[in-house]
Amino acid sequence: TTDIKVDVLVIGAGPSGCVASAYLHQQGLQVKVVEKNTFPRFVIGESLLPRCMQHFEEVGLLDALKAANFEVKNGARFLRDDVVCNFDFSDKHTKGWDWTWQVPRADFDTILAKEIQKMGVDLSFEHEVIDVQFDDAGISTTTINDAQGNPYKVEAKFIIDSSGYGRVLPRLLNLDKPSTIPEHSSIFGHVEDIHRPTGEEGTMITFDVLDKDTWFWVIPFSNGNTSLGFVGKNEFIDSFEGETSERLKNMLKHSDYYYERFKDAPLLFEPKSIRNYSKAVTKFYGKGFALTGNSAEFLDPVFSSGVTFATESALISAKLITKELQGETVDWEEDYSNYIKAGVDVFATYVKEWYTGNLQTLFFHRPENPEVKRQICAVLAGYVWDETNPFVTKHKRIVKTLAHLINMEKEKSASV
Ligand code: FAD
């Protein structure tokens, strides 16, 4: 027996679920969002990309976010040894947003969730999806435990699975497949940034590169706290012993640039760790459902693509579902799967070439090539579907080839 019937059930109220449900609601569809946690809740993914601003804008969520005065992110800084590589989003190949934010996600996601509730979206917190059954026509019956632990059933014409690390449908339908990204793990936490310098130095997002496989993020927030996180091979992460607080403190000693600033900065909670974080699925959609955001795919934090991918896929799947429910024919393979894969593939190349060292060769080679930099900057801003950018269309070859040329040049000048 079904207790509730809706057009679309959205699982999870992170950025992906909020953007999808806001859009569907505005199209006049009957939407229900179920979120297993209470908000605010911690989730990692604090550095956004300019491209996601247009998604929030399109569904009317931008003004509420603006009112929160999050730290503005105008670019990104990469450090290696004594070389600084600064990307400025206002100087990029693709037109579009040239700024975004650095956000504590507990606050950010709460604003989004409250805002969709204000719009009239039916959102239930502490409601956890525990089972989903599909019939041949793709109509689903989902079993949900409410806040008191009482199960009820929702019938839906479509499910958008935006459950992030919960990976509800990939688990229930067996859609997981190994990621092709080399395995890495991470330890991260928030500190009270008691020695924050004034000006840009204090607020700029920075990636401090320790070696080819190991790097450290510094993401200052406008509330005076800063997110610190280390990423490395499992051997590196595992070589530190004790509680995560002790491990993070000891890892900090590897950052010449930041050790003094953060060595006695009070941690705001016991840091978290996540192992082999890259995830992939065998398909992004099926009859009666679409996977969006992290529930579909997660590559690597190095280019901060997670939330942008989450909102991009949310908006596209919501648009396709709307069309289909209005009786139009939808080519999910072309307009969803292939489109999403094209963007994911570009980022996947950059992530892979980061860890081969080729991309780092490009970033830290001096003198810089301004044209190359503008084109790479557009990719780093999230504009990975711009076919006028050779760093998008030729992503598989161009980073490798340029790095090779730089290395040959270096060898030549070394042998002269
Ligand atoms: P989430 O934000 O995870 O939301 C999913 C929601 O679904 C959660 O609230 C959860 O409670 C709910 N849920 C789960 N299971 C159920 C269930 N059974 N029933 C009901 N609800 C459920 N991304 C960036 O953009 N920038 C970064 O700097 C960045 N850094 C990262 C660093 C690390 C180490 C890692 C591992 C990831 C990072 N990411 C980053 C990725 C980012 O965390 C995700 O891509 C992003 O949070 C995805 O958003 P989402 O809406 O898909 O899922």
Side-chain angles (χ1 to χ4, degrees), residues 11-17 34-37 39 41 43-48 105 109 127-130 162-168 171 186 188 217 219 231 274 277 292-295 298 301 304-308 310:
I11 310 175
S16 203
V34 286
E35 163 56 57
K36 82 169 178 197
N37 274 302
F39 277 22
R41 57 94 178 83
V43 66
I44 195 62
E46 299 150 335
S47 149
L48 308 182
R105 285 284 302 281
D109 291 17
H127 283 218
E128 181 175 6
V129 169
I130 51 169
S162 304
S163 61
Y165 301 98
R167 305 182 67 72
V168 171
R171 274 190 295 109
S186 180
F188 44 88
W217 79 65
I219 307 177
V231 173
I274 179 163
Y277 46 64
T292 68
N294 249 53
S295 167
F298 180 65
S304 309
S305 57
V307 170
T308 298

Short mmCIF file of all heavy atoms in Angstrom, two decimals, residues 11-17 34-37 39 41 43-48 105 109 127-130 162-168 171 186 188 217 219 231 274 277 292-295 298 301 304-308 310, ligand 1:
data_model
loop_
_atom_site.label_atom_id
_atom_site.label_comp_id
_atom_site.label_asym_id
_atom_site.label_seq_id
_atom_site.Cartn_x
_atom_site.Cartn_y
_atom_site.Cartn_z
N ILE A 11 15.94 12.21 -3.22
CA ILE A 11 16.59 11.66 -2.03
C ILE A 11 17.80 12.52 -1.69
O ILE A 11 18.76 12.60 -2.46
CB ILE A 11 17.04 10.20 -2.26
CG1 ILE A 11 15.91 9.36 -2.83
CG2 ILE A 11 17.55 9.60 -0.94
CD1 ILE A 11 16.32 7.93 -3.19
N GLY A 12 17.75 13.21 -0.55
CA GLY A 12 18.88 14.03 -0.08
C GLY A 12 18.66 15.51 -0.34
O GLY A 12 18.20 15.90 -1.41
N ALA A 13 18.99 16.34 0.65
CA ALA A 13 18.78 17.79 0.54
C ALA A 13 20.10 18.55 0.52
O ALA A 13 20.20 19.67 1.02
CB ALA A 13 17.88 18.28 1.67
N GLY A 14 21.13 17.96 -0.06
CA GLY A 14 22.37 18.70 -0.31
C GLY A 14 22.14 19.64 -1.50
O GLY A 14 21.01 19.80 -1.96
N PRO A 15 23.21 20.27 -2.01
CA PRO A 15 23.05 21.20 -3.14
C PRO A 15 22.37 20.55 -4.34
O PRO A 15 21.55 21.18 -5.02
CB PRO A 15 24.49 21.57 -3.49
CG PRO A 15 25.30 21.25 -2.29
CD PRO A 15 24.60 20.18 -1.53
N SER A 16 22.66 19.30 -4.58
CA SER A 16 22.09 18.62 -5.73
C SER A 16 20.57 18.47 -5.56
O SER A 16 19.80 18.86 -6.44
CB SER A 16 22.76 17.25 -5.88
OG SER A 16 22.65 16.80 -7.19
N GLY A 17 20.15 17.93 -4.44
CA GLY A 17 18.73 17.73 -4.19
C GLY A 17 17.96 19.05 -4.12
O GLY A 17 16.82 19.14 -4.60
N VAL A 34 13.28 13.89 0.72
CA VAL A 34 13.52 13.27 2.03
C VAL A 34 15.01 13.33 2.34
O VAL A 34 15.85 13.03 1.49
CB VAL A 34 13.01 11.81 2.11
CG1 VAL A 34 11.50 11.79 2.20
CG2 VAL A 34 13.49 10.97 0.93
N GLU A 35 15.32 13.75 3.55
CA GLU A 35 16.71 13.96 3.98
C GLU A 35 16.89 13.22 5.30
O GLU A 35 16.15 13.46 6.25
CB GLU A 35 16.98 15.46 4.14
CG GLU A 35 18.21 15.84 4.94
CD GLU A 35 19.51 15.22 4.43
OE1 GLU A 35 19.85 15.42 3.25
OE2 GLU A 35 20.18 14.52 5.22
N LYS A 36 17.89 12.34 5.35
CA LYS A 36 17.98 11.48 6.54
C LYS A 36 18.50 12.21 7.79
O LYS A 36 18.23 11.80 8.90
CB LYS A 36 18.81 10.23 6.24
CG LYS A 36 20.28 10.41 6.30
CD LYS A 36 20.99 9.06 6.24
CE LYS A 36 22.49 9.27 6.25
NZ LYS A 36 23.25 8.13 5.82
N ASN A 37 19.23 13.31 7.57
CA ASN A 37 19.79 14.04 8.72
C ASN A 37 18.90 15.19 9.15
O ASN A 37 17.96 15.55 8.45
CB ASN A 37 21.14 14.63 8.33
CG ASN A 37 22.27 13.66 8.54
OD1 ASN A 37 22.49 13.18 9.65
ND2 ASN A 37 22.99 13.37 7.48
N PHE A 39 19.40 19.29 9.73
CA PHE A 39 20.36 20.32 9.32
C PHE A 39 20.42 21.36 10.43
O PHE A 39 19.41 21.59 11.08
CB PHE A 39 19.88 21.00 8.02
CG PHE A 39 20.25 20.24 6.77
CD1 PHE A 39 20.52 18.89 6.79
CD2 PHE A 39 20.30 20.89 5.54
CE1 PHE A 39 20.84 18.19 5.62
CE2 PHE A 39 20.62 20.21 4.38
CZ PHE A 39 20.89 18.87 4.41
N ARG A 41 24.16 20.04 9.21
CA ARG A 41 25.00 18.86 9.37
C ARG A 41 26.31 19.11 8.62
O ARG A 41 26.35 19.84 7.64
CB ARG A 41 24.30 17.60 8.84
CG ARG A 41 23.85 17.64 7.37
CD ARG A 41 24.83 17.08 6.40
NE ARG A 41 24.39 17.07 5.01
CZ ARG A 41 24.49 18.10 4.20
NH1 ARG A 41 24.95 19.27 4.62
NH2 ARG A 41 24.13 18.01 2.91
N VAL A 43 29.26 18.45 6.09
CA VAL A 43 29.64 17.67 4.92
C VAL A 43 30.84 18.39 4.31
O VAL A 43 30.98 19.61 4.43
CB VAL A 43 28.47 17.51 3.92
CG1 VAL A 43 28.06 18.81 3.30
CG2 VAL A 43 28.79 16.49 2.82
N ILE A 44 31.75 17.63 3.71
CA ILE A 44 32.92 18.26 3.10
C ILE A 44 32.56 18.73 1.68
O ILE A 44 31.59 18.25 1.10
CB ILE A 44 34.14 17.29 3.13
CG1 ILE A 44 35.44 18.02 2.86
CG2 ILE A 44 33.94 16.14 2.16
CD1 ILE A 44 35.80 19.07 3.88
N GLY A 45 33.33 19.67 1.12
CA GLY A 45 33.04 20.18 -0.22
C GLY A 45 32.81 21.68 -0.17
O GLY A 45 31.74 22.17 -0.51
N GLU A 46 33.82 22.41 0.26
CA GLU A 46 33.63 23.80 0.69
C GLU A 46 34.06 24.85 -0.30
O GLU A 46 33.76 26.02 -0.16
CB GLU A 46 34.39 23.98 2.01
CG GLU A 46 33.85 23.05 3.09
CD GLU A 46 34.88 22.62 4.11
OE1 GLU A 46 36.09 22.62 3.79
OE2 GLU A 46 34.47 22.28 5.23
N SER A 47 34.81 24.42 -1.31
CA SER A 47 35.29 25.36 -2.31
C SER A 47 34.45 25.18 -3.56
O SER A 47 34.40 24.10 -4.13
CB SER A 47 36.77 25.06 -2.57
OG SER A 47 37.12 25.36 -3.88
N LEU A 48 33.73 26.22 -3.96
CA LEU A 48 32.82 26.10 -5.10
C LEU A 48 33.50 26.59 -6.37
O LEU A 48 34.60 27.15 -6.32
CB LEU A 48 31.56 26.92 -4.82
CG LEU A 48 30.86 26.64 -3.49
CD1 LEU A 48 29.59 27.47 -3.36
CD2 LEU A 48 30.54 25.16 -3.31
N ARG A 105 29.84 24.13 4.70
CA ARG A 105 28.67 23.52 4.07
C ARG A 105 27.49 23.35 5.02
O ARG A 105 26.33 23.35 4.59
CB ARG A 105 29.07 22.17 3.45
CG ARG A 105 29.88 22.33 2.16
CD ARG A 105 28.98 22.70 1.00
NE ARG A 105 27.96 21.70 0.82
CZ ARG A 105 28.14 20.54 0.21
NH1 ARG A 105 29.32 20.25 -0.33
NH2 ARG A 105 27.16 19.66 0.09
N ASP A 109 24.31 24.62 3.15
CA ASP A 109 23.25 23.67 2.80
C ASP A 109 21.97 23.97 3.58
O ASP A 109 20.86 23.73 3.08
CB ASP A 109 23.71 22.22 3.06
CG ASP A 109 24.80 21.78 2.08
OD1 ASP A 109 25.41 22.65 1.43
OD2 ASP A 109 25.05 20.57 1.97
N HIS A 127 14.15 11.76 7.59
CA HIS A 127 13.44 10.71 6.86
C HIS A 127 14.45 9.99 5.99
O HIS A 127 15.07 10.61 5.12
CB HIS A 127 12.32 11.29 6.00
CG HIS A 127 11.11 11.69 6.77
ND1 HIS A 127 9.83 11.51 6.31
CD2 HIS A 127 10.99 12.24 8.01
CE1 HIS A 127 8.96 11.95 7.23
NE2 HIS A 127 9.63 12.41 8.26
N GLU A 128 14.61 8.70 6.24
CA GLU A 128 15.68 7.96 5.55
C GLU A 128 15.10 6.91 4.60
O GLU A 128 14.28 6.08 4.99
CB GLU A 128 16.56 7.26 6.60
CG GLU A 128 17.70 6.50 5.95
CD GLU A 128 18.67 5.88 6.96
OE1 GLU A 128 18.39 5.95 8.18
OE2 GLU A 128 19.68 5.33 6.52
N VAL A 129 15.59 6.97 3.36
CA VAL A 129 15.18 5.96 2.39
C VAL A 129 15.86 4.64 2.74
O VAL A 129 17.08 4.60 2.91
CB VAL A 129 15.58 6.39 0.97
CG1 VAL A 129 15.41 5.24 -0.02
CG2 VAL A 129 14.75 7.59 0.54
N ILE A 130 15.06 3.60 2.85
CA ILE A 130 15.69 2.31 3.16
C ILE A 130 15.49 1.27 2.06
O ILE A 130 16.22 0.31 1.97
CB ILE A 130 15.23 1.74 4.53
CG1 ILE A 130 13.71 1.74 4.63
CG2 ILE A 130 15.84 2.54 5.68
CD1 ILE A 130 13.23 0.95 5.83
N SER A 162 19.91 12.09 -5.04
CA SER A 162 20.93 13.09 -4.70
C SER A 162 21.48 12.79 -3.32
O SER A 162 21.74 13.70 -2.54
CB SER A 162 20.31 14.49 -4.70
OG SER A 162 19.70 14.79 -5.93
N SER A 163 21.65 11.50 -3.02
CA SER A 163 22.00 11.12 -1.64
C SER A 163 23.49 11.21 -1.35
O SER A 163 23.93 10.80 -0.28
CB SER A 163 21.47 9.72 -1.34
OG SER A 163 22.07 8.78 -2.22
N GLY A 164 24.28 11.76 -2.27
CA GLY A 164 25.70 12.00 -1.98
C GLY A 164 26.43 10.73 -1.58
O GLY A 164 26.32 9.69 -2.23
N TYR A 165 27.15 10.82 -0.46
CA TYR A 165 27.91 9.67 0.01
C TYR A 165 27.00 8.53 0.47
O TYR A 165 27.46 7.42 0.67
CB TYR A 165 28.87 10.09 1.13
CG TYR A 165 29.84 11.15 0.66
CD1 TYR A 165 29.62 12.50 0.90
CD2 TYR A 165 30.95 10.78 -0.09
CE1 TYR A 165 30.49 13.46 0.42
CE2 TYR A 165 31.83 11.74 -0.57
CZ TYR A 165 31.59 13.08 -0.31
OH TYR A 165 32.45 14.02 -0.79
N GLY A 166 25.71 8.81 0.64
CA GLY A 166 24.75 7.75 0.99
C GLY A 166 24.57 6.76 -0.15
O GLY A 166 24.29 5.60 0.06
N ARG A 167 24.74 7.26 -1.41
CA ARG A 167 24.71 6.40 -2.59
C ARG A 167 23.56 5.39 -2.56
O ARG A 167 23.77 4.19 -2.76
CB ARG A 167 26.05 5.68 -2.76
CG ARG A 167 27.24 6.63 -2.80
CD ARG A 167 28.55 5.91 -3.02
NE ARG A 167 28.61 5.30 -4.35
CZ ARG A 167 28.75 5.98 -5.47
NH1 ARG A 167 28.84 7.27 -5.45
NH2 ARG A 167 28.79 5.35 -6.62
N VAL A 168 22.36 5.91 -2.37
CA VAL A 168 21.21 5.02 -2.13
C VAL A 168 20.94 4.08 -3.32
O VAL A 168 20.98 2.86 -3.18
CB VAL A 168 19.95 5.85 -1.78
CG1 VAL A 168 18.71 4.95 -1.75
CG2 VAL A 168 20.14 6.54 -0.43
N ARG A 171 23.76 1.62 -4.37
CA ARG A 171 23.83 0.47 -3.47
C ARG A 171 22.68 -0.49 -3.72
O ARG A 171 22.88 -1.69 -3.88
CB ARG A 171 23.78 0.93 -2.01
CG ARG A 171 25.13 1.32 -1.43
CD ARG A 171 25.06 1.52 0.09
NE ARG A 171 24.22 2.65 0.47
CZ ARG A 171 23.03 2.53 1.05
NH1 ARG A 171 22.54 1.34 1.34
NH2 ARG A 171 22.32 3.61 1.35
N SER A 186 41.97 11.18 2.55
CA SER A 186 42.04 12.56 3.04
C SER A 186 41.72 12.64 4.52
O SER A 186 40.93 11.84 5.04
CB SER A 186 41.06 13.42 2.23
OG SER A 186 41.08 14.74 2.66
N PHE A 188 40.65 15.89 7.21
CA PHE A 188 40.32 17.32 7.16
C PHE A 188 39.55 17.75 8.40
O PHE A 188 38.90 16.94 9.07
CB PHE A 188 39.50 17.63 5.90
CG PHE A 188 38.40 16.63 5.61
CD1 PHE A 188 37.15 16.79 6.16
CD2 PHE A 188 38.64 15.52 4.79
CE1 PHE A 188 36.14 15.87 5.90
CE2 PHE A 188 37.63 14.60 4.53
CZ PHE A 188 36.38 14.78 5.09
N TRP A 217 44.94 21.55 1.51
CA TRP A 217 44.09 22.70 1.18
C TRP A 217 43.91 23.62 2.38
O TRP A 217 43.86 23.16 3.51
CB TRP A 217 42.75 22.26 0.61
CG TRP A 217 41.68 21.78 1.57
CD1 TRP A 217 41.04 22.52 2.52
CD2 TRP A 217 41.10 20.46 1.63
NE1 TRP A 217 40.10 21.75 3.17
CE2 TRP A 217 40.11 20.49 2.65
CE3 TRP A 217 41.31 19.27 0.93
CZ2 TRP A 217 39.34 19.37 2.98
CZ3 TRP A 217 40.55 18.17 1.26
CH2 TRP A 217 39.59 18.21 2.27
N ILE A 219 41.18 26.59 3.18
CA ILE A 219 39.97 27.27 2.70
C ILE A 219 39.43 28.17 3.82
O ILE A 219 38.71 27.70 4.70
CB ILE A 219 38.89 26.25 2.25
CG1 ILE A 219 39.46 25.26 1.23
CG2 ILE A 219 37.67 26.99 1.67
CD1 ILE A 219 38.48 24.18 0.77
N VAL A 231 45.48 15.61 1.45
CA VAL A 231 45.13 14.55 0.52
C VAL A 231 46.43 13.85 0.13
O VAL A 231 47.44 14.51 -0.14
CB VAL A 231 44.46 15.14 -0.74
CG1 VAL A 231 44.24 14.05 -1.80
CG2 VAL A 231 43.13 15.80 -0.38
N ILE A 274 38.55 10.24 5.26
CA ILE A 274 37.80 9.50 4.25
C ILE A 274 38.80 8.79 3.36
O ILE A 274 39.80 9.36 2.94
CB ILE A 274 36.82 10.43 3.49
CG1 ILE A 274 36.04 9.70 2.42
CG2 ILE A 274 37.50 11.64 2.91
CD1 ILE A 274 34.80 10.47 1.97
N TYR A 277 38.25 7.93 -1.73
CA TYR A 277 36.99 8.65 -1.89
C TYR A 277 36.42 8.62 -3.31
O TYR A 277 35.26 8.95 -3.51
CB TYR A 277 37.17 10.11 -1.43
CG TYR A 277 38.42 10.77 -1.94
CD1 TYR A 277 38.60 10.98 -3.30
CD2 TYR A 277 39.43 11.16 -1.08
CE1 TYR A 277 39.76 11.57 -3.78
CE2 TYR A 277 40.59 11.75 -1.56
CZ TYR A 277 40.75 11.95 -2.91
OH TYR A 277 41.88 12.51 -3.39
N THR A 292 22.33 11.92 -9.45
CA THR A 292 22.97 13.23 -9.60
C THR A 292 24.06 13.38 -8.54
O THR A 292 24.07 12.68 -7.53
CB THR A 292 21.96 14.38 -9.42
OG1 THR A 292 21.54 14.41 -8.05
CG2 THR A 292 20.75 14.22 -10.34
N GLY A 293 24.95 14.32 -8.77
CA GLY A 293 25.96 14.68 -7.77
C GLY A 293 26.82 13.50 -7.37
O GLY A 293 27.12 12.61 -8.15
N ASN A 294 27.18 13.51 -6.10
CA ASN A 294 28.09 12.51 -5.60
C ASN A 294 27.55 11.10 -5.61
O ASN A 294 28.31 10.15 -5.55
CB ASN A 294 28.45 12.84 -4.16
CG ASN A 294 29.86 13.26 -4.04
OD1 ASN A 294 30.28 14.14 -4.76
ND2 ASN A 294 30.60 12.63 -3.18
N SER A 295 26.24 10.99 -5.66
CA SER A 295 25.65 9.67 -5.71
C SER A 295 26.03 9.00 -7.04
O SER A 295 26.12 7.79 -7.14
CB SER A 295 24.13 9.80 -5.57
OG SER A 295 23.53 8.60 -5.90
N PHE A 298 32.20 10.61 -8.04
CA PHE A 298 33.09 11.58 -7.41
C PHE A 298 34.52 11.29 -7.81
O PHE A 298 34.98 10.17 -7.69
CB PHE A 298 32.95 11.62 -5.89
CG PHE A 298 33.89 12.65 -5.30
CD1 PHE A 298 33.70 14.00 -5.58
CD2 PHE A 298 34.97 12.27 -4.54
CE1 PHE A 298 34.58 14.96 -5.11
CE2 PHE A 298 35.87 13.22 -4.05
CZ PHE A 298 35.66 14.56 -4.34
N PRO A 301 39.06 15.88 -4.91
CA PRO A 301 38.83 17.27 -4.50
C PRO A 301 39.77 18.30 -5.13
O PRO A 301 39.54 19.49 -4.97
CB PRO A 301 39.02 17.24 -2.98
CG PRO A 301 39.74 15.99 -2.68
CD PRO A 301 39.52 15.04 -3.80
N SER A 304 38.00 21.01 -6.97
CA SER A 304 36.75 21.51 -6.36
C SER A 304 35.54 21.38 -7.29
O SER A 304 34.68 22.24 -7.32
CB SER A 304 36.90 22.99 -5.97
OG SER A 304 38.04 23.20 -5.21
N SER A 305 35.47 20.30 -8.02
CA SER A 305 34.40 20.16 -9.01
C SER A 305 33.12 19.52 -8.45
O SER A 305 32.09 19.50 -9.12
CB SER A 305 34.90 19.34 -10.20
OG SER A 305 35.36 18.08 -9.74
N GLY A 306 33.17 19.01 -7.21
CA GLY A 306 32.07 18.20 -6.68
C GLY A 306 30.71 18.88 -6.66
O GLY A 306 29.73 18.36 -7.21
N VAL A 307 30.62 20.04 -6.01
CA VAL A 307 29.32 20.70 -5.87
C VAL A 307 28.81 21.17 -7.24
O VAL A 307 27.62 21.05 -7.55
CB VAL A 307 29.40 21.87 -4.87
CG1 VAL A 307 28.13 22.72 -4.91
CG2 VAL A 307 29.65 21.34 -3.46
N THR A 308 29.72 21.67 -8.06
CA THR A 308 29.31 22.15 -9.38
C THR A 308 28.75 21.02 -10.23
O THR A 308 27.73 21.16 -10.90
CB THR A 308 30.51 22.82 -10.09
OG1 THR A 308 30.89 23.94 -9.29
CG2 THR A 308 30.16 23.29 -11.48
N ALA A 310 27.41 18.45 -8.96
CA ALA A 310 26.16 18.07 -8.29
C ALA A 310 25.00 18.96 -8.75
O ALA A 310 23.89 18.47 -8.99
CB ALA A 310 26.32 18.16 -6.76
P1 FAD B 1 25.66 15.76 -0.28
O1 FAD B 1 26.02 17.17 -0.10
O2 FAD B 1 26.52 14.71 0.29
O3 FAD B 1 24.15 15.57 0.19
C1 FAD B 1 23.54 14.30 0.20
C2 FAD B 1 22.45 14.28 1.26
O4 FAD B 1 21.74 13.04 1.16
C3 FAD B 1 23.02 14.32 2.66
O5 FAD B 1 22.51 15.44 3.37
C4 FAD B 1 22.60 12.98 3.28
O6 FAD B 1 22.27 13.10 4.65
C5 FAD B 1 21.40 12.60 2.44
N1 FAD B 1 21.16 11.15 2.42
C6 FAD B 1 22.10 10.17 2.32
N2 FAD B 1 21.51 8.96 2.37
C7 FAD B 1 20.19 9.17 2.51
C8 FAD B 1 19.07 8.30 2.64
N3 FAD B 1 19.19 6.96 2.65
N4 FAD B 1 17.83 8.85 2.76
C9 FAD B 1 17.67 10.21 2.76
N5 FAD B 1 18.71 11.06 2.66
C10 FAD B 1 19.95 10.56 2.54
N6 FAD B 1 33.38 19.46 -3.65
C11 FAD B 1 33.51 20.75 -3.99
O7 FAD B 1 32.70 21.26 -4.77
N7 FAD B 1 34.52 21.50 -3.47
C12 FAD B 1 35.44 20.99 -2.62
O8 FAD B 1 36.34 21.72 -2.17
C13 FAD B 1 35.36 19.61 -2.27
N8 FAD B 1 36.24 19.04 -1.41
C14 FAD B 1 36.13 17.72 -1.13
C15 FAD B 1 37.11 17.11 -0.32
C16 FAD B 1 37.05 15.73 -0.06
C17 FAD B 1 38.11 15.08 0.78
C18 FAD B 1 36.00 14.97 -0.61
C19 FAD B 1 35.92 13.50 -0.36
C20 FAD B 1 35.03 15.58 -1.38
C21 FAD B 1 35.07 16.94 -1.66
N9 FAD B 1 34.12 17.56 -2.48
C22 FAD B 1 34.27 18.87 -2.82
C23 FAD B 1 32.95 16.83 -3.01
C24 FAD B 1 31.65 17.22 -2.28
O9 FAD B 1 31.71 16.74 -0.96
C25 FAD B 1 30.45 16.58 -2.98
O10 FAD B 1 30.64 16.54 -4.35
C26 FAD B 1 29.15 17.33 -2.73
O11 FAD B 1 28.89 17.44 -1.35
C27 FAD B 1 28.03 16.61 -3.43
O12 FAD B 1 26.79 17.19 -3.12
P2 FAD B 1 25.48 16.30 -3.17
O13 FAD B 1 24.34 17.25 -3.08
O14 FAD B 1 25.58 15.37 -4.31
O15 FAD B 1 25.56 15.38 -1.87
#
